[in-house]
Amino acid sequence: MARTEKKKDVVIIGLGWTGSILGMELCEEGLEVLALERGPDRSTVPDFQYPEVADELRYGVRYGFMQRPRQSTLTIRHSTSDEALPYRQLGSFLPGNGVGGAGVHWNGHTFRPQKEELRLRSYVEETFGADIIPEDVQLQDWGVSYEEMEPFFDRFEKVAGITGQAGNLNGQIVEGGNPFESPRSSDYPLPPLPSTYGARMFADAVRQMGYHPYPRPGANASVAYTNPYGMQLGPCNFCGFCERFGCLNYSKSSPQTCVLDALKRKPNFQYRVNSEVLRIELAQDGKTATGVTYVDIDAQEEVFQPADMVIVAAYSLHNVHLMLLSGIGQPYDPATGEGVTGRAYSYQMNGGTSLYFKDVDFNPFVGAGSNGIVIDDFSVNQIDFGKEGFIGGSYINSSQTNGQPIRSMSLPSGSPSWGAGWKQAIGEWYGHSMSIGSHGTNLAYRDTYLDLDPTYKDPYGRPLMRMTFDWKANDIAMTQFMKTKIEGITKALNPDSFKSSYKSDGSHYDTTAYQSTHNVGGAIMGGDPKTSALNRYLQSWDVHNVFVMGASAFPQNLQYNPTGMVGGLAYWAAHAIRNDYLPNPRPLV
């Protein structure tokens, strides 16, 4: 029989970026808040201290900060006619494990969406006509506008200490920034990072081609900074240990660096680690949640935690799994197109070109996660979808994030892959390459979705979640378009050789190689309860005291990295809860 704990005003599932933000905001309302984290506790000291954390083998190769499939996994298939099999070895995506979540090990790329992306269906229909939308595409507006979201993007950027250069400040185009961004009410809180040599080469080349380079906005502090919570960041020292690592220098924005130590000082906040939530418990009528049931992993005991409000703030995929297990929202059925929970899963469409220069030494050990130069000349609001034959866009960038000797061994085509010849090639080419990448949209389709697997179960006897996903013609056409643009830039740089890697016709989704941890959708937001699991405030349409944070709310994926949108949505939802829901708990729409 489950042990019952004392009731709390709010229980938060997950203590990463969104759980930390909602914890802080709701504690400031005077509520008693409890956060439950599946993994272990993590703090900058001792978990990210030097030299232990700068261990490429332990963290970069063996995924020391990631969830293991034996702890949490899902099954994956390409189509509804395939058998789904468990994801047994980390590859395509890397969910974080423990306090801070994926906010511990990210690189820090932090963009805002363009306003057109938040009303993508309307933008396409108004600009190009509805007939260009492929029949199987589930293209949706988000239910919230850029103008409504702008103050909350600004808030997240100030809390996270984001670096960058404004390109559109209150409607005025600013030299050196992104002229295609939607208007900002204020500049970034920190100036951009300095650029490494390859990024400067890229900037010079694209500028001469008539494009508009700007510094990548990101979460690596360029100067010392104190955020609105009184948390301090130090300037990045370009150590090259961002992605897959915790920051040893208090320079990378993370929940630990920006929120958690301030939140832990709140007398009305508690958190419990090694506490895996099994399900959200519902009242007999199914219209409200009464709390959550979780497993105290250390004690191997089941616990019921009563609460007046449940904030689901786990990783995107886990949010959807919990909703399916808890019976929140009708499960999506691709055969009929009906149902909402699990609908509209999407990913990220990336591609890139590596350039090799015999006589240029790029000093790759000088790197930072958000270092780099970007162009948005082929972004969503710059492409004629009717003419080009696809819907979507991409930013194109060149960056230098690390020179780690195991993971950063790019070699020209034809180089041996092992043995003495491989060693000779490493000696010849290490430090003599740069890359140009495309980071693009991925649409949602009728048959890309998440549901409960009928065969496989987890250690607690719950069905695993099943992912049905493959690359589609629209997104492949988009990435092939970007390939032509990037190879044009490559030729302008005149390398000794180059090689490209982009999805092409017939490509299938491959789980074995890392692509991004940008899994989105499945518990999407919108204006219609028939096609979205959440309303515009990230509140469940069916269970009004359940709010679901994170990228699971995305109706389709942005061309940008998701964290800027995720952070903005967290503050947007927190504002609605504090100012509208708490005075009168009810469905907000």
Side-chain angles (χ1 to χ4, degrees):
M1 183 175 179
R3 181 180 87 234
T4 298
E5 288 282 352
K6 182 180 178 181
K7 188 177 182 180
K8 295 287 186 180
D9 295 319
V10 183
V11 63
I12 298 174
I13 304 170
L15 194 54
W17 267 121
T18 60
S20 300
I21 289 169
L22 268 293
M24 178 64 81
E25 293 292 302
L26 297 179
C27 279
E28 289 183 348
E29 282 297 309
L31 301 178
E32 290 289 330
V33 177
L34 171 69
L36 298 173
E37 169 55 49
R38 172 205 308 252
D41 207 352
R42 298 202 191 278
S43 298
T44 300
V45 177
D47 299 284
F48 313 150
Q49 67 187 5
Y50 184 82
E52 287 83 355
V53 79
D55 184 335
E56 183 187 1
L57 186 62
R58 180 177 179 183
Y59 297 106
V61 177
R62 294 177 178 166
Y63 306 128
F65 290 131
M66 317 306 176
Q67 288 180 10
R68 293 295 190 268
R70 68 177 180 269
Q71 298 170 293
S72 172
T73 192
L74 72 166
T75 65
I76 302 176
R77 61 182 181 173
H78 286 143
S79 72
T80 55
S81 62
D82 295 336
E83 179 185 1
L85 296 173
Y87 186 52
R88 295 186 183 275
Q89 184 172 333
L90 293 175
S92 177
F93 47 87
L94 304 171
N97 185 38
V99 170
V104 167
H105 68 77
W106 69 319
N107 257 331
H109 307 168
T110 310
F111 295 82
R112 298 182 179 190
Q114 292 174 334
K115 64 181 180 181
E116 293 83 1
E117 293 185 274
L118 300 189
R119 53 185 308 274
L120 190 56
R121 186 174 191 97
S122 294
Y123 170 70
V124 169
E125 289 181 347
E126 293 164 5
T127 310
F128 308 104
D131 57 338
I132 75 161
I133 302 173
E135 186 177 355
D136 62 338
V137 170
Q138 292 179 327
L139 199 64
Q140 291 190 206
D141 294 349
W142 292 57
V144 63
S145 70
Y146 176 88
E147 290 76 13
E148 290 173 304
M149 286 295 303
E150 199 283 332
F152 304 99
F153 293 139
D154 186 73
R155 173 69 169 168
F156 179 67
E157 289 166 359
K158 286 181 168 60
V159 167
I162 302 304
T163 64
Q165 167 63 60
N168 184 338
L169 198 52
N170 294 309
Q172 296 295 313
I173 302 303
V174 180
E175 183 69 26
N178 176 15
F180 309 118
E181 72 176 350
S182 296
R184 305 171 54 87
S185 59
S186 63
D187 205 342
Y188 289 92
L190 295 173
L193 290 170
S195 295
T196 48
Y197 184 54
R200 296 200 302 272
M201 288 173 56
F202 171 80
D204 291 342
V206 297
R207 192 177 292 111
Q208 291 176 22
M209 298 173 74
Y211 302 144
H212 302 81
Y214 66 95
R216 187 205 304 271
N220 308 131
S222 55
V223 296
Y225 178 69
T226 302
N227 80 0
Y229 296 143
M231 300 290 286
Q232 297 177 327
L233 287 81
C236 175
N237 65 2
F238 278 70
C239 74
F241 288 91
C242 285
E243 184 181 27
R244 306 190 185 186
F245 302 86
C247 182
L248 57 90
N249 203 49
Y250 293 88
S251 300
K252 182 172 71 173
S253 310
S254 68
Q256 281 84 353
T257 312
C258 299
V259 185
L260 280 171
D261 282 349
L263 177 58
K264 290 175 185 179
R265 296 188 182 103
K266 297 285 186 182
N268 51 336
F269 176 76
Q270 290 181 299
Y271 71 107
R272 299 174 194 153
V273 298
N274 300 318
S275 300
E276 180 161 2
V277 175
L278 299 179
R279 60 191 172 272
I280 300 162
E281 302 291 356
L282 302 182
Q284 192 168 2
D285 63 4
K287 294 182 179 180
T288 57
T290 59
V292 303
T293 295
Y294 71 94
V295 171
D296 179 334
I297 295 172
D298 294 330
Q300 283 298 294
E301 183 179 15
E302 200 167 290
V303 182
F304 172 59
Q305 177 59 60
D308 291 326
M309 184 190 306
V310 176
I311 305 293
V312 187
Y315 185 66
S316 171
L317 295 172
H318 302 142
N319 287 350
V320 182
H321 192 209
L322 270 176
M323 292 182 70
L324 289 166
L325 292 169
S326 305
I328 299 176
Q330 180 184 350
Y332 174 71
D333 182 353
T336 64
E338 297 178 351
V340 292
T341 304
R343 175 189 172 98
Y345 170 75
S346 57
Y347 195 33
Q348 200 86 63
M349 179 56 84
N350 299 333
T353 298
S354 297
L355 295 71
Y356 302 91
F357 299 83
K358 290 181 180 178
D359 298 323
V360 180
D361 188 346
F362 291 99
N363 293 328
F365 52 84
V366 179
S370 296
N371 163 60
I373 297 291
V374 177
I375 61 170
D376 262 8
D377 294 79
F378 305 105
S379 57
V380 163
N381 66 13
Q382 295 301 303
I383 295 176
D384 185 332
F385 299 151
K387 175 184 174 184
E388 301 300 343
F390 62 82
I391 298 171
S394 172
Y395 71 81
I396 292 173
N397 74 107
S398 182
S399 64
Q400 184 168 294
T401 60
N402 73 85
Q404 297 162 28
I406 303 174
R407 298 176 54 235
S408 300
M409 292 291 195
S410 180
L411 295 175
S413 298
S415 300
S417 58
W418 64 285
W422 175 80
K423 292 179 182 179
Q424 181 178 347
I426 290 296
E428 182 178 356
W429 289 106
Y430 179 77
H432 293 280
S433 66
M434 62 176 283
S435 64
I436 304 175
S438 163
H439 189 285
T441 49
N442 181 224
L443 303 187
Y445 298 83
R446 184 175 178 128
D447 63 350
T448 57
Y449 69 104
L450 305 168
D451 68 348
L452 295 178
D453 191 279
T455 304
Y456 293 95
K457 299 185 184 300
D458 71 9
Y460 303 109
R462 305 177 302 170
L464 295 184
M465 190 166 68
R466 177 172 61 180
M467 174 191 293
T468 304
F469 178 78
D470 207 356
W471 303 118
K472 303 291 187 178
N474 177 86
D475 307 304
I476 289 173
M478 184 276 293
T479 200
Q480 284 293 311
F481 174 88
M482 299 303 163
K483 176 184 177 183
T484 66
K485 303 304 178 185
I486 289 176
E487 289 189 345
I489 298 167
T490 297
K491 290 170 184 175
L493 284 162
N494 195 29
D496 292 296
S497 65
F498 68 89
K499 65 179 181 182
S500 294
S501 178
Y502 300 83
K503 307 296 186 301
S504 57
D505 289 342
S507 293
H508 292 287
Y509 173 51
D510 177 8
T511 64
T512 63
Y514 182 71
Q515 290 151 75
S516 78
T517 307
H518 300 168
N519 314 92
V520 308
I524 69 174
M525 62 189 294
D528 185 348
K530 293 182 179 178
T531 58
S532 57
L534 311 176
N535 66 25
R536 68 197 305 263
Y537 301 109
L538 279 69
Q539 179 186 41
S540 165
W541 285 106
D542 296 342
V543 184
H544 70 75
N545 62 340
V546 172
F547 292 78
V548 185
M549 303 297 114
S552 49
F554 291 20
Q556 56 270 325
N557 210 353
L558 305 167
Q559 63 199 329
Y560 302 110
N561 306 65
T563 309
M565 185 67 191
V566 167
L569 283 174
Y571 280 109
W572 160 259
H575 183 267
I577 293 169
R578 294 180 69 172
N579 292 279
D580 198 357
Y581 183 79
L582 290 176
N584 180 19
R586 70 202 189 283
L588 295 178
V589 176

